[in-house]
Amino acid sequence: MRIVVTGGAGFVGSNVCDYLLEKGHSVVCIDNLLTGTKENIAHLVDNEKFTYIEHNVSEHIVVEGEVDAVMHLASPASPKDYTKHAIPTLKVGSLGTLNALGLAKVKRAKFLLTSTSEVYGDPDRKHHPQKESYYGNVNPVGPRGMYDEAKRFAEALTMAYYSDEKIDTRIARLFNTYGPRMRLDDGRVLPTFMSQALNGEGLTVFGDGKQTRSFCYISDMVEGLYKLLMSDEHEPVNLGNPSEITVLQLAEEVIELTSSKSGIIFKPLPQDDPKVRRPDISKARNVLDWNPKVDRQEGLAKTMEYFTRKIQSQTA
């Protein structure tokens, strides 16, 4: 297959490109490098099955030749990034999704949207873990609104193209994902904790640290996305690791793993910060025969090795 990956120079996108090439597919990576980096795809530039196009997908997309699938991953994904780039985030969720769907329509290609667990907002305890049937508890004008609503609109647009234009679509709702190629400064909790611990700084925990998250290692996530692309499922599917941990426990695990002498610094909880986050992946297990394989201890160790090399290269 020849597969277009928007946002292909980002953390998840570049790992998707690797996986697709390993499977023998050809990849057209499109990225405007707003939050992605050429470093993530530098090892692919000499691969004859890999093509890179520097382009903002919020503008019309042109790809010459046949296309069998479009995987739309382009979007800032961390609170730090989408707060800084609020309008581009809204544009890539709306115009970018429209353009990516338009490309799929012209090429009669499959289409996969990477949505997010943020469509569930700040879930109440009655909807924990979160199932795909949960409509969410989202503040459209809050500090996360630009990301949450961009993704919710992208899902609605994707379903409209499925029903009205008969495009062969998929929707993946990604929960917290981590691993090599995350940026040290992307603002998400895991790279922040890793960076702080490895640099001997205090780990910043917001609120009392009892809010929960569920972390899925990148290789598991990429496999789930591929299985969804190759499936016949058109309704949203949760992809994530249901192993749940409090933010405070994660901070303690990172300190222990890195043998750091860092302490923990508590700061006020930001507005609309989700209190709980855990995927119900029954559908992914049943429909895709997918289940995460990498446990947190193994994934954190691999991630620490990557961040250690990054920090060493920056200080060399």
Side-chain angles (χ1 to χ4, degrees):
M1 296 174 65
R2 187 167 185 247
I3 302 174
V4 171
V5 180
T6 74
F11 159 51
V12 178
S14 62
N15 280 282
V16 166
C17 290
D18 283 350
Y19 189 90
L20 295 174
L21 290 165
E22 289 169 6
K23 288 287 186 181
H25 303 298
S26 296
V27 173
V28 178
C29 166
I30 305 178
D31 204 302
N32 68 344
L33 305 179
L34 181 67
T35 58
T37 171
K38 285 186 177 179
E39 181 183 353
N40 288 339
I41 55 172
H43 61 291
L44 300 177
V45 294
D46 294 329
N47 189 324
E48 62 181 14
K49 290 190 172 184
F50 179 80
T51 302
Y52 170 65
I53 301 173
E54 188 167 328
H55 179 70
N56 182 353
V57 297
S58 295
E59 299 174 1
H60 181 65
I61 303 170
V62 177
V63 177
E64 300 295 337
E66 293 185 1
V67 172
D68 299 293
V70 177
M71 300 181 72
H72 182 40
L73 282 74
S75 177
S78 74
K80 177 181 177 181
D81 287 338
Y82 57 67
T83 301
K84 180 181 179 181
H85 303 291
I87 293 174
T89 298
L90 285 159
K91 281 186 173 182
V92 77
S94 54
L95 297 174
T97 305
L98 182 67
N99 290 332
L101 281 161
L103 178 64
K105 178 182 176 181
V106 168
K107 303 293 186 179
R108 305 310 301 175
K110 292 182 181 181
F111 178 86
L112 183 145
L113 170 72
T114 54
S115 185
T116 172
S117 60
E118 293 295 331
V119 300
Y120 300 123
D122 184 10
D124 58 51
R125 289 286 180 175
K126 293 187 297 183
H127 296 93
H128 187 68
Q130 291 78 58
K131 295 183 178 181
E132 291 89 349
S133 57
Y134 178 45
Y135 293 162
N137 176 35
V138 179
N139 178 3
V141 295
R144 293 170 176 260
M146 72 290 287
Y147 183 64
D148 299 359
E149 297 301 340
K151 289 296 189 180
R152 287 161 70 93
F153 176 82
E155 287 196 14
L157 188 60
T158 299
M159 289 306 298
Y161 266 72
Y162 168 66
S163 60
D164 293 2
E165 301 292 344
K166 310 306 177 187
I167 304 302
D168 192 10
T169 62
R170 321 276 187 275
I171 298 174
R173 289 178 178 164
L174 278 60
F175 283 67
N176 294 73
T177 307
Y178 72 102
R181 298 187 195 155
M182 295 190 90
R183 296 194 343 259
L184 284 166
D185 65 346
D186 90 345
R188 281 177 279 197
V189 61
L190 186 53
T192 298
F193 282 175
M194 283 282 185
S195 180
Q196 290 170 333
L198 291 169
N199 285 310
E201 303 168 356
L203 274 65
T204 305
V205 171
F206 294 101
D208 58 10
K210 292 182 180 178
Q211 62 272 35
T212 67
R213 298 292 183 268
S214 303
F215 295 93
C216 184
Y217 191 66
I218 184 63
S219 60
D220 286 331
M221 181 59 69
V222 170
E223 181 186 38
L225 288 170
Y226 185 73
K227 284 194 169 188
L228 179 57
L229 178 68
M230 296 303 174
S231 77
D232 295 321
E233 181 58 48
H234 302 289
E235 298 286 335
V237 177
N238 287 339
L239 294 177
N241 192 319
S243 176
E244 188 177 16
I245 185 175
T246 69
V247 171
L248 183 58
Q249 287 173 324
L250 178 67
E252 293 167 346
E253 284 189 4
V254 169
I255 290 172
E256 182 179 0
L257 176 68
T258 57
S259 300
S260 175
K261 295 182 180 179
S262 297
I264 294 175
I265 300 171
F266 291 91
K267 292 190 175 183
L269 190 69
Q271 180 185 343
D272 298 336
D273 193 64
K275 309 300 186 302
V276 291
R277 180 71 86 231
R278 179 188 174 196
D280 183 319
I281 61 169
S282 302
K283 187 173 183 180
R285 284 173 172 151
N286 295 332
V287 175
L288 308 180
D289 190 27
W290 175 82
N291 205 50
K293 303 182 182 72
V294 180
D295 64 31
R296 193 170 58 253
Q297 286 68 35
E298 179 185 353
L300 287 177
K302 291 179 177 179
T303 306
M304 184 191 71
E305 291 173 5
Y306 172 79
F307 282 138
T308 299
R309 291 195 302 271
K310 290 287 290 184
I311 291 173
Q312 290 173 345
S313 68
Q314 291 176 358
T315 57

